[in-house]
Amino acid sequence: MWSPEREAEAPAGGDPAGLLPPEWEEDEERMSFLFSAFKRSREVNSTDWDSKMGFWAPLVLSHSRRQGVVRLRLRDLQEAFQRKGSVPLGLATVLQDLLRRGELQRESDFMASVDSSWISWGVGVFLLKPLKWTLSNMLGDNKVPAEEVLVAVELLKEKAEEVYRLYQNSPLSSHPVVALSELSTLCAGSCPDERTFYLVLLQLQKEKRVTVLEQNGEKIVKFARGPHAKVSPVNDVDVGVYQLMQSEQLLSRKVESLSQEAERCKEEARRACRAGKKQLALRSLKAKQRTEKRIEALHAKLDTVQGILDRIYASQTDQMVFNAYQAGVGALKLSMKDVTVEKAESLVDQIQELCDTQDEVSQTLAGGVTNGLDFDSEELEKELDILLQDTTKEHFDLPENPPETFYTNSVPNARISDAELEAELEKLSLSEGGLVPSSKSPKRQLEPTL
């Protein structure tokens, strides 16, 4: 953040990512209030204090996260948050509050909190603090100097996790021991400078995921095998494997160099033949043959070293499998601690007995209740047979068809007296000329005329 490259990239007086709050450009009154200094104490006006702190504290941390840095200084923040030529007057108070809450930590305090042997040589890359900083801390002055470097604790943890995943996904993870220079090259994209890289290693060492050791003037780093495992101290096996890996790389580079030299001798011999310089061509061919013999010897040594490394890697894999088997056997023994064949057989017998009892109960309940009456099943069967025989012999007489009844739409006449009937009959007789009524007879008779 304070490197010359970053200072050249970051434009003064604005957020380079364009992610400032909306009121930054829209609310002049609000921004004038936020750019003013804090009161000497929060008790004077807690509402104003909390409002400013709630604005600046998250903004400082989010700005550092967007910049990809874990180290920050007051001076850099003041330059980053300039607005129309004005500098926020309360940033020092904000940093003090973040220090009090543990979200920030002084770089010197963080380095002192890690008990490591390699910090003695690593401290040389850090700038010494001015004497006035030391005196201010001794006198209890909590003011944050503009040049003092602070570390964002949470951002450093995130960066350490990123570096660890980067190593795990790289070819360097084939062995837990790696040269510090190779690891630094691998992490160049994640760590913007050497100081950040060392802070990340210190954080990983604090989490017991790496350990750093100096071997023959070269620093080596050993990683933990798993993401949740703790790193073990560097032992003789680790050093031996590391030396073999270095020898393999050295031999590979030597073979490549000699191969280029042999090709060069071959080209010289070809050019000498074209020029008619036979003796020069022969000397070039002899040099080529000598170089090829050296290459063959180096190839043999390289094959030997690679074979040893392959065996070591295979043995490590075998050890991991063996440990897994051993852990599995231990867990199986623990889970079957109180389980025996006799207990299993007894349990099965009990289950079978209970099942039989349940079947008997079900059958008993399915038989129903007789209400105290005892019926003879044989008599019931005989009575049922008699009923069946009677049913088969019984004939059903169908009734005759009822007489047809005709209905008319006419309405029956009312009752007519005898006198009226006789009068009507007499009229009929006279009209036809063949019927004579008898008035003396009490009954109506019809006689033919002579």
Side-chain angles (χ1 to χ4, degrees), residues 73-114:
R73 296 184 303 179
L74 175 59
R75 181 177 67 84
D76 299 302
L77 293 174
Q78 289 174 341
E79 293 178 358
F81 293 125
Q82 282 187 11
R83 181 179 182 272
K84 298 180 179 181
S86 300
V87 175
L89 301 179
L91 284 180
T93 305
V94 173
L95 296 182
Q96 291 175 11
D97 189 73
L98 291 174
L99 284 169
R100 180 184 58 82
R101 294 187 307 196
E103 297 185 45
L104 293 182
Q105 189 176 5
R106 288 181 169 86
E107 186 181 59
S108 57
D109 294 340
F110 175 79
M111 292 175 57
S113 67
V114 182

Side-chain angles (χ1 to χ4, degrees), residues 32-302:
S32 297
F33 163 73
L34 293 173
F35 268 62
S36 62
F38 283 81
K39 301 296 182 181
R40 294 184 61 87
S41 175
R42 182 178 178 274
E43 284 73 15
V44 176
N45 192 333
S46 60
T47 303
D48 290 352
W49 181 288
D50 294 341
S51 178
K52 290 181 181 179
M53 194 63 66
F55 176 85
W56 286 111
L59 185 59
V60 167
L61 296 177
S62 63
H63 172 76
S64 300
R65 177 177 279 106
R66 290 196 303 269
Q67 295 296 317
V69 298
V70 300
R71 305 167 66 240
L72 50 104
R73 296 184 303 179
L74 175 59
R75 181 177 67 84
D76 299 302
L77 293 174
Q78 289 174 341
E79 293 178 358
F81 293 125
Q82 282 187 11
R83 181 179 182 272
K84 298 180 179 181
S86 300
V87 175
L89 301 179
L91 284 180
T93 305
V94 173
L95 296 182
Q96 291 175 11
D97 189 73
L98 291 174
L99 284 169
R100 180 184 58 82
R101 294 187 307 196
E103 297 185 45
L104 293 182
Q105 189 176 5
R106 288 181 169 86
E107 186 181 59
S108 57
D109 294 340
F110 175 79
M111 292 175 57
S113 67
V114 182
D115 184 14
S116 173
S117 59
W118 69 281
I119 200 173
S120 59
W121 56 263
V123 74
V125 302
F126 294 91
L127 297 176
L128 296 177
K129 295 186 298 182
L131 180 60
K132 61 179 182 180
W133 295 4
T134 305
L135 291 176
S136 64
N137 290 335
M138 293 177 61
L139 296 176
D141 188 3
N142 292 326
K143 292 183 179 180
V144 179
E147 299 295 332
E148 185 174 13
V149 178
L150 305 176
V151 177
V153 177
E154 192 63 30
L155 300 184
L156 180 59
K157 292 180 180 178
E158 295 175 4
K159 186 70 68 174
E161 181 65 27
E162 179 183 350
V163 168
Y164 186 81
R165 290 197 303 267
L166 186 63
Y167 161 77
Q168 290 290 338
N169 296 328
S170 69
L172 297 178
S173 61
S174 59
H175 190 265
V177 179
V178 61
L180 183 66
S181 58
E182 295 178 344
L183 184 62
S184 177
T185 303
L186 178 66
C187 301
S190 299
C191 300
D193 50 55
E194 189 179 24
R195 299 172 70 173
T196 302
F197 174 68
Y198 286 138
L199 285 175
V200 168
L201 283 183
L202 282 172
Q203 178 63 33
L204 288 172
Q205 188 167 5
K206 190 175 183 179
E207 298 173 0
K208 299 187 182 303
R209 292 203 279 179
V210 303
T211 182
V212 184
L213 179 69
E214 186 172 358
Q215 179 70 23
N216 297 328
E218 187 176 7
K219 285 79 181 179
I220 59 177
V221 183
K222 181 179 180 180
F223 281 82
R225 273 299 187 181
H228 303 292
K230 303 297 182 182
V231 66
S232 59
V234 180
N235 51 33
D236 294 339
V237 176
D238 296 328
V239 174
V241 173
Y242 173 75
Q243 291 176 347
L244 283 173
M245 293 173 62
Q246 293 299 110
S247 299
E248 180 188 17
Q249 295 178 4
L250 179 62
L251 289 172
S252 298
R253 289 194 296 267
K254 191 66 175 176
V255 167
E256 184 178 359
S257 176
L258 290 176
S259 297
Q260 294 176 358
E261 183 179 351
E263 187 66 25
R264 181 177 55 81
C265 292
K266 182 178 179 180
E267 288 296 327
E268 289 179 354
R270 182 179 291 110
R271 286 196 300 268
C273 287
R274 291 173 182 174
K277 301 177 181 180
K278 183 177 180 180
Q279 296 298 326
L280 182 58
L282 290 175
R283 284 197 301 268
S284 297
L285 290 177
K286 289 180 180 179
K288 172 180 172 295
Q289 292 178 355
R290 288 193 300 266
T291 303
E292 290 177 346
K293 289 181 179 180
R294 293 174 60 189
I295 292 175
E296 292 178 0
L298 290 176
H299 269 302
K301 296 177 182 179
L302 184 60

Side-chain angles (χ1 to χ4, degrees), residues 375-383:
F375 297 101
D376 189 353
S377 59
E378 293 183 0
E379 293 180 359
L380 293 174
E381 292 289 342
K382 290 180 180 179
E383 185 174 355

